[in-house]
Amino acid sequence: MKNAWAIYKRELRAYFFSPLAYVMYVLFLVVCAVFFNMYFSMYIRWSQMAMMQRQMGAPQLPNYTETVLLGITGVMTFILLFIVPMISMRLFAEEKKLGTLELLFTYPIKDIEVLMGKFLAALTVLIGMLTLTFVYVLLSNIVVADQTYIPAVLASYLGVLLVGSAFLSLGIFASALTENQIVAGMVSFTSLLVLWMIGFVDEIQPNTFLGKICNEISVYAHFDEFGKGVITTGHAAYYILFSVFFLFFTLRILESNRWRG
């Protein structure tokens, strides 16, 4: 674990000593802020309409946590489709291009230590990004405390983290396949987009065998319950197994590179 810790620190320095991490943070936070403002404005309008229609038998006010806070976590998962390939594309591709991966193999470091050091560093960057967005929850807990249900929001954030972790594992796998960062990023983004869009087959062909299979494979369909503030073991297991699957095959690629190098 000492070697994995050294790799972890080196990767974190690589992220934060270059503009890449800061550009991704700014992009992610700006897009989240735009959608938070949009959902909050929508909630205000719906509340005003509900108040005006109260005398007409429609007294129910919209749910703030569901409309605004859980709505924004759903948007985060979509933004991660674009952000995660940018985080993961350089991890092995850059090392291959510079020839430092072969040099790394000459040290007494296990492949799994290299992989875990890089994966955990990328995951730390992602966690930092999500943590900064928690300011919306804190503000909501101050302004509309009676309508901010923290446990549901935490459950939804856990779902976003699991989705991000699964995306990272596929991105690292793509990075280990090539020495070109752009190719790694495109392979990662295209694969994630296909795994995202495949869930819509079930909506086009509902209650069919093909639709059910596509729904089980889709990375977004398993977030649905998390997006409602509910933690479901089966959906959490999907993302964990997804991550383990791609990390396992990344390890096999590293072993192959070591033998060939």
Side-chain angles (χ1 to χ4, degrees):
M1 291 305 295
K2 184 179 177 182
N3 292 328
W5 175 244
I7 298 287
Y8 171 81
K9 289 192 292 184
R10 191 189 70 156
E11 291 301 327
L12 273 189
R13 281 197 296 272
Y15 277 119
F16 289 103
F17 284 2
S18 74
L20 179 63
Y22 302 101
V23 169
M24 289 187 296
Y25 270 51
V26 169
L27 280 175
F28 187 73
L29 294 174
V30 166
V31 176
C32 286
V34 168
F35 276 92
F36 179 78
N37 182 61
M38 190 176 75
Y39 282 133
F40 189 78
S41 300
M42 189 167 64
Y43 169 78
I44 296 295
R45 284 199 303 274
W46 285 356
S47 298
Q48 290 172 340
M49 289 173 62
M51 292 291 288
M52 291 172 65
Q53 294 173 357
R54 185 178 290 255
Q55 295 179 346
M56 300 170 62
Q60 289 293 328
L61 290 173
N63 185 301
Y64 177 82
T65 297
E66 185 179 328
T67 305
V68 181
L69 298 178
L70 298 185
I72 196 70
T73 57
V75 172
M76 286 179 198
T77 58
F78 183 71
I79 303 172
L80 291 182
L81 273 177
F82 302 89
I83 294 290
V84 168
M86 293 170 63
I87 296 176
S88 61
M89 65 182 187
R90 56 162 289 278
L91 284 170
F92 283 109
E94 186 180 56
E95 299 258 22
K96 282 187 171 183
K97 187 175 183 179
L98 297 176
T100 52
L101 190 61
E102 287 77 8
L103 181 64
L104 201 61
F105 287 152
T106 63
Y107 294 116
I109 303 175
K110 296 177 181 175
D111 294 339
I112 192 165
E113 292 175 326
V114 176
L115 177 60
M116 292 316 297
K118 287 177 176 289
F119 176 72
L120 292 176
L123 191 62
T124 301
V125 172
L126 180 64
I127 290 172
M129 207 177 286
L130 297 180
T131 303
L132 289 176
T133 64
F134 214 71
V135 67
Y136 303 130
V137 183
L138 297 177
L139 284 174
S140 300
N141 200 39
I142 294 171
V143 179
V144 281
D146 59 325
Q147 297 187 52
T148 303
Y149 186 53
I150 297 292
V153 179
L154 291 177
S156 196
Y157 264 80
L158 174 63
V160 178
L161 180 60
L162 288 171
V163 170
S165 175
F167 285 7
L168 274 178
S169 67
L170 192 150
I172 290 176
F173 173 75
S175 183
L177 292 173
T178 177
E179 62 178 32
N180 189 313
Q181 293 187 44
I182 303 300
V183 171
M186 289 304 297
V187 168
S188 174
F189 172 71
T190 305
S191 303
L192 291 173
L193 187 62
V194 169
L195 287 170
W196 181 286
M197 298 294 290
I198 202 171
F200 293 109
V201 173
D202 188 43
E203 295 184 13
I204 298 169
Q205 298 182 13
N207 301 320
T208 62
F209 178 74
L210 178 63
K212 289 178 182 177
I213 291 293
C214 291
N215 198 48
E216 289 299 322
I217 296 172
S218 170
V219 291
Y220 182 70
H222 292 274
F223 180 77
D224 194 42
E225 293 295 320
F226 286 108
K228 297 173 183 173
V230 178
I231 298 175
T232 307
T233 309
H235 296 311
Y238 166 84
Y239 290 118
I240 293 170
L241 290 174
F242 187 102
S243 301
V244 171
F245 178 84
F246 281 104
L247 290 178
F248 173 79
F249 280 101
T250 305
L251 198 58
R252 298 284 81 82
I253 292 173
L254 292 181
E255 288 175 355
S256 171
N257 289 335
R258 181 186 287 273
W259 285 109
R260 282 186 295 176

